[in-house]
Amino acid sequence: MSDPLPDALLGQTPSALAEEVSLAMPLKALRISGRDAVSAALGTYRDLLAAPEATVRLKGDALDAVVYSGSIDGRSAEIAALASRDAAGLVSTIDLYGRPWPFMALLREAMAKVAPDLADADLGTGPYVPEGPTPTWVDHPAVPPLADDVILYSPILSEEPSGKAVVGPVLKAAAQSFTDLKVRAVLQPEGRSGFAVVIDELVDGHVQQLIEIFTLNDEDEVGEIRIFTRPWGVTAHFRKNMYVLLKDLLGPEFWEGPDPQEPLPYL
């Protein structure tokens, strides 16, 4: 029997969604609710990302997720969709996370032309605090050592750093750019060795939400890290902080998109 979740999270089967389903998006800070509105929003993401393909399936106790790969203006972008179900088995909440930020900026530009409300990056008047996806906090799994040839699929960089000598300092800089990390859930990827964590952390007083997927090699070392974030406005703060720490290590090819040294007027 085929897995119905990938189609449901692209808005292709509205009947799989609960009537009062809610959706958090990578670009917009606030959630939207209702089957019709959520289906329409998911369909807009699907259309703008050129019919994204499901590439990874993640399963947990209360949450499941699907990673999709698509493109915008010829550049590759990915979405991770996290879902919970109600007692009837219908999808009741969906949280979308995206990567990488520079190409999500292209998506935001395209979104503003067809659905301006979905492109609104306003974080509100106070520190941003998300609703969901679940109120339960769990322990972070132990992270195995990095492989010598580890690859980082960053949420903010337009190229992928590779090799422990580069990825290690990037991860260290990331740890300096947030505080108060909490884990909402741990998921397991199908068909591969590793784990995924659903995280909240503070960046400049705002909550940034992440899904981090750690894939292990045959030696049980971390061979790949793939990180998705939301909302886009908080990740803008994170990218700006990371640039200050990494500009001497990573060249301009890693910083495509809006200049990370410029103010953030869109917030």
Side-chain angles (χ1 to χ4, degrees):
M1 186 176 183
S2 62
D3 184 357
L5 190 62
D7 285 347
L9 299 183
L10 289 178
Q12 294 177 302
T13 52
S15 61
L17 307 181
E19 186 66 34
E20 297 303 319
V21 63
S22 70
L23 171 66
M25 291 164 281
L27 300 177
K28 183 180 176 67
L30 300 180
R31 300 186 79 91
I32 63 172
S33 299
R35 180 185 290 160
D36 291 344
V38 169
S39 294
L42 294 173
T44 302
Y45 272 86
R46 182 185 70 240
D47 292 345
L48 292 179
L49 288 170
E53 174 187 4
T55 57
V56 181
R57 182 72 160 82
L58 302 165
K59 291 190 174 182
D61 293 335
L63 297 168
D64 291 334
V66 180
V67 175
Y68 302 91
S69 178
S71 64
I72 181 74
D73 288 351
R75 308 308 298 264
S76 296
E78 292 184 303
I79 295 289
L82 189 70
S84 66
R85 292 183 174 89
D86 63 16
L90 298 176
V91 175
S92 56
T93 66
I94 305 170
D95 291 77
L96 300 184
Y97 304 69
R99 65 158 302 275
W101 189 92
F103 305 152
M104 296 303 290
L106 297 177
L107 177 63
R108 181 171 176 257
E109 291 176 5
M111 186 76 73
K113 297 176 183 178
V114 297
D117 181 61
L118 302 184
D120 182 5
D122 184 17
L123 297 176
T125 57
Y128 172 70
V129 178
E131 299 177 45
T134 171
T136 303
W137 304 111
V138 300
D139 293 333
H140 196 298
V143 179
L146 300 180
D148 287 339
D149 59 352
V150 63
I151 300 175
L152 173 62
Y153 294 86
S154 166
I156 62 167
L157 302 173
S158 50
E159 296 287 344
E160 288 79 43
S162 62
K164 182 164 61 175
V166 177
V167 173
V170 173
L171 296 178
K172 182 178 179 180
Q176 296 176 252
S177 300
F178 66 81
T179 60
D180 199 27
L181 183 149
K182 296 180 180 179
V183 177
R184 288 183 177 267
V186 179
L187 308 176
Q188 298 299 320
E190 288 189 336
R192 64 180 69 186
S193 178
F195 58 91
V197 286
V198 182
I199 290 172
D200 281 12
E201 61 191 27
L202 286 179
V203 176
D204 293 349
H206 301 288
V207 175
Q208 177 172 246
Q209 299 192 289
L210 306 89
I211 295 179
E212 300 182 342
I213 304 174
F214 297 87
T215 301
L216 307 184
N217 63 16
D218 292 340
E219 286 73 44
D220 288 331
E221 300 169 324
V222 176
E224 176 185 300
I225 307 170
R226 194 174 296 267
I227 305 176
F228 304 79
T229 61
R230 72 162 304 278
W232 189 84
V234 180
T235 303
H237 285 263
F238 181 67
R239 178 174 179 258
K240 192 176 183 69
N241 296 342
M242 288 284 282
Y243 178 78
V244 173
L245 297 172
L246 294 173
K247 60 184 178 181
D248 295 330
L249 176 67
L250 302 178
E253 69 273 17
F254 289 91
W255 304 102
E256 287 187 43
D259 187 342
Q261 301 180 88
E262 292 295 320
L264 305 176
Y266 37 78
L267 301 181

